[in-house]
Amino acid sequence: MTMATAEPHPVQAGRVFLFLQGPHGPFFHRLGAMLRRAGAEIWRVGFNAGDRAFWFDGASYLPFTEAPEDWPAHLRGLLDEKRVTDIVLYGDTRAIHAEAIAEARRRGLRVHVFEEGYMRPYWVTYERGGANGHSRLMDMDVADMRSALERSDMEAPLPPGHWGDMRQHIFYGALYHWFVMFRNGDYRNFRAHRDLPVAREFQLYLKRLLLMPLTRVERFVESLRIRRGGFPYHLALLQLEHDSSFRQHSPFESMSEFVDLVLEGFAKGAPGHHHLVFKAHPLENGQVPLRRMIAASARRLGTEGRVHFVPGGKLAQLLNDARSAVTVNSTAGQQVLWRGIPLRTFGRAVYAKPEFVSEQPLAEFFALPTRPDSRAYKDYRRYLLETSQLPGGFYASRGRRQLLRQVVDMMLSPHDPYDALRNGTAAPRQQLRVVR
């Protein structure tokens, strides 16, 4: 008996998705496979051997081996040849993605942008057209969000008490760069979107993996000193210097500029018995000598006995007793605001709304910080959790499964997450589960 071939669902008929670069690991491959099962046509452009290693369907893989300056013309040819309707990518600032977004806008194509969660680590971000400083959230105020929420009575979920995604994140990063280092012969024209050479980045990932036990001990000892110190303290939340949010949406050229600014404001404004704690990003790889840089600036300003450095780790325990926090535009600012702690930012961020982010001069902020409007922030947070923030993760298998259950239907929807809520077409949200 001959089996009938299922026809694509009318909503998916004619949809052609072109995947560009994604998060390290197999998430984009799993996503493409599920979209294909939904009836869409799927293609993936690979720019190096790391991209190829995590895309397991050779028939749909399209290697780009030309020089970077040939990418715009190559892209236009692909869009015409494959009759692409949708482009999928991770992060919107690297040159190949920025060019793709610009071309998609000229043609009226949908652009699906994935990013680490604005309220990471328990959620990821899915938007259309742009993320971070290019997100539609930048042009929304809290009143707009409250208006859209009138159609919903969902209770915003609390984050779980455990997160187990970091080891997989670091592992896939190291493995990806290994392929780029040792299997990239077919992609001799490849240029990384970061200034750091691929070999050096691989070394830093590997070093971080090997030193994780030692770093954990160091972090525990320093955190214990702070908790038992009995002094009031402020937090400075550091970011990765190569991160697109820092490079593209802040006024600083380097992390050292931010460190100097914060220490000068602290020295001028904070009471003499207050301390300052610099917390490194969980994925900080040692490229920037943060500890040495902070110590040198503290000595110059006469605050060395009141300044601490914590190498990565979770933020929650440090936030429990913090008086205030400062950052450029780190997504960790969301955890600060959730606890009602005063926050000062210096870059463009989706959460930098006047209702809950201070605009005080830094010395004044350290002396007497203004508190956020917690009601306004809770409405903002609930709005994000009903629109662009999805439970799950890119790196751990359980997190990927949880994410795929929700995001594929959102990508196939005619409405982006924000319009779907306002139009009443947003899908029900899953209860948050622990990602292990």
Side-chain angles (χ1 to χ4, degrees):
M1 183 174 69
T2 303
M3 296 289 292
T5 302
E7 291 295 325
H9 189 281
V11 174
Q12 285 73 258
R15 297 286 290 273
V16 180
F17 288 80
L18 182 69
F19 282 66
L20 302 183
Q21 288 193 297
H24 299 149
F27 171 70
F28 260 20
H29 171 76
R30 307 288 186 223
L31 177 61
M34 190 170 285
L35 285 166
R36 187 179 291 113
R37 288 195 292 272
E41 184 179 337
I42 306 300
W43 298 96
R44 168 70 190 269
V45 181
F47 299 84
N48 59 52
D51 293 339
R52 180 66 185 91
F54 292 112
W55 189 263
F56 310 123
D57 176 42
S60 61
Y61 182 77
L62 306 169
F64 175 73
T65 58
E66 302 167 36
E69 51 268 25
D70 297 326
W71 167 241
H74 185 92
L75 171 67
R76 290 192 293 271
L78 277 181
L79 297 178
D80 291 336
E81 177 190 345
K82 304 300 183 186
R83 292 180 289 184
V84 171
T85 60
D86 299 75
I87 296 177
V88 187
L89 44 83
Y90 171 76
D92 63 356
T93 58
R94 62 187 71 178
I96 56 176
H97 289 173
E99 177 62 37
I101 291 171
E103 184 62 29
R105 285 176 179 156
R106 287 190 285 267
R107 296 171 178 244
L109 309 181
R110 298 180 190 88
V111 178
H112 307 267
V113 181
F114 285 89
E115 256 292 4
E116 303 296 335
Y118 292 147
M119 290 180 290
R120 70 187 72 170
Y122 312 109
W123 293 273
V124 304
T125 297
Y126 165 70
E127 295 185 273
R128 294 195 186 171
N132 293 313
H134 300 139
S135 168
R136 286 185 61 189
L137 290 168
M138 298 300 297
D139 298 320
M140 297 184 198
D141 57 31
V142 175
D144 294 331
M145 299 175 187
R146 284 172 167 161
S147 175
L149 286 170
E150 290 176 358
R151 300 187 67 109
S152 170
D153 59 359
M154 183 191 94
E155 290 293 328
L158 295 173
H162 177 75
W163 173 48
D165 199 53
M166 181 58 69
R167 287 189 300 273
Q168 293 91 333
H169 192 160
I170 296 172
F171 169 76
Y172 281 128
L175 185 58
Y176 179 92
H177 287 92
W178 184 90
F179 277 105
V180 176
M181 281 182 61
F182 299 111
R183 293 289 186 270
N184 223 41
D186 293 336
Y187 302 88
R188 299 185 186 280
N189 292 313
F190 170 70
R191 293 179 204 159
H193 64 283
R194 295 173 181 163
D195 296 334
L196 193 66
V198 172
R200 177 60 177 155
E201 192 155 4
F202 170 74
Q203 291 170 359
L204 291 170
Y205 267 109
L206 185 60
K207 179 181 177 182
R208 177 162 175 75
L209 274 173
L210 296 174
L211 292 180
M212 282 183 78
L214 181 62
T215 303
R216 191 177 296 116
V217 172
E218 181 185 357
R219 182 167 58 241
F220 174 80
V221 171
E222 188 61 36
S223 298
L224 190 63
R225 285 182 56 207
I226 294 166
R227 290 201 303 273
R228 292 187 174 180
F231 44 75
Y233 62 84
H234 308 263
L235 278 175
L237 306 177
L238 301 176
Q239 296 168 240
L240 300 177
E241 193 169 276
H242 61 255
D243 183 75
S244 61
S245 291
F246 181 82
R247 294 176 67 89
Q248 301 290 329
H249 304 299
S250 89
F252 303 107
E253 294 292 329
S254 68
M255 191 55 64
S256 64
E257 293 180 18
F258 174 67
V259 167
D260 288 343
L261 178 70
V262 171
L263 278 167
E264 288 168 7
F266 175 76
K268 291 177 183 177
H273 61 293
H274 283 208
H275 287 228
L276 177 63
V277 177
F278 284 91
K279 183 192 174 297
H281 189 281
L283 289 173
E284 180 57 54
N285 57 18
Q287 177 187 352
V288 179
L290 292 172
R291 184 188 296 278
R292 190 163 66 247
M293 175 198 308
I294 291 166
S297 291
R299 282 194 300 271
R300 177 174 57 83
L301 294 164
T303 60
E304 63 268 32
R306 300 160 56 203
V307 175
H308 310 261
F309 175 76
V310 176
K314 295 180 181 179
L315 181 59
Q317 287 188 336
L318 288 172
L319 281 175
N320 288 339
D321 297 309
R323 299 294 297 272
S324 74
V326 295
T327 186
V328 178
N329 54 6
S330 170
T331 55
Q334 302 268 11
Q335 296 185 52
V336 177
L337 294 171
W338 173 242
R339 288 167 170 77
I341 299 170
L343 177 66
R344 179 70 165 88
T345 61
F346 293 90
R348 287 167 53 82
V350 295
Y351 60 81
K353 308 296 182 186
E355 289 87 350
F356 34 82
V357 171
S358 173
E359 298 180 352
Q360 295 170 272
L362 194 52
E364 180 184 324
F365 177 80
F366 279 123
L368 193 64
T370 57
R371 294 182 59 181
D373 180 341
S374 292
R375 289 185 179 180
Y377 178 72
K378 287 176 181 176
D379 287 338
Y380 165 88
R381 182 179 184 274
R382 183 177 154 219
Y383 179 79
L384 262 63
L385 290 175
E386 293 211 42
T387 53
S388 61
Q389 302 305 289
L390 304 181
F394 298 126
Y395 308 103
S397 58
R398 182 173 178 179
R400 287 194 297 272
R401 292 194 298 268
Q402 187 176 11
L403 177 55
L404 288 169
R405 289 188 182 102
Q406 185 104 27
V407 75
V408 173
D409 288 343
M410 295 177 68
M411 295 175 71
L412 295 172
S413 169
H415 303 128
D416 86 345
Y418 305 118
D419 291 336
L421 179 63
R422 185 169 292 279
N423 295 338
T425 59
R429 288 305 169 98
Q430 301 168 316
Q431 293 298 312
L432 187 67
R433 298 181 181 88
V434 176
V435 179
R436 298 187 187 276

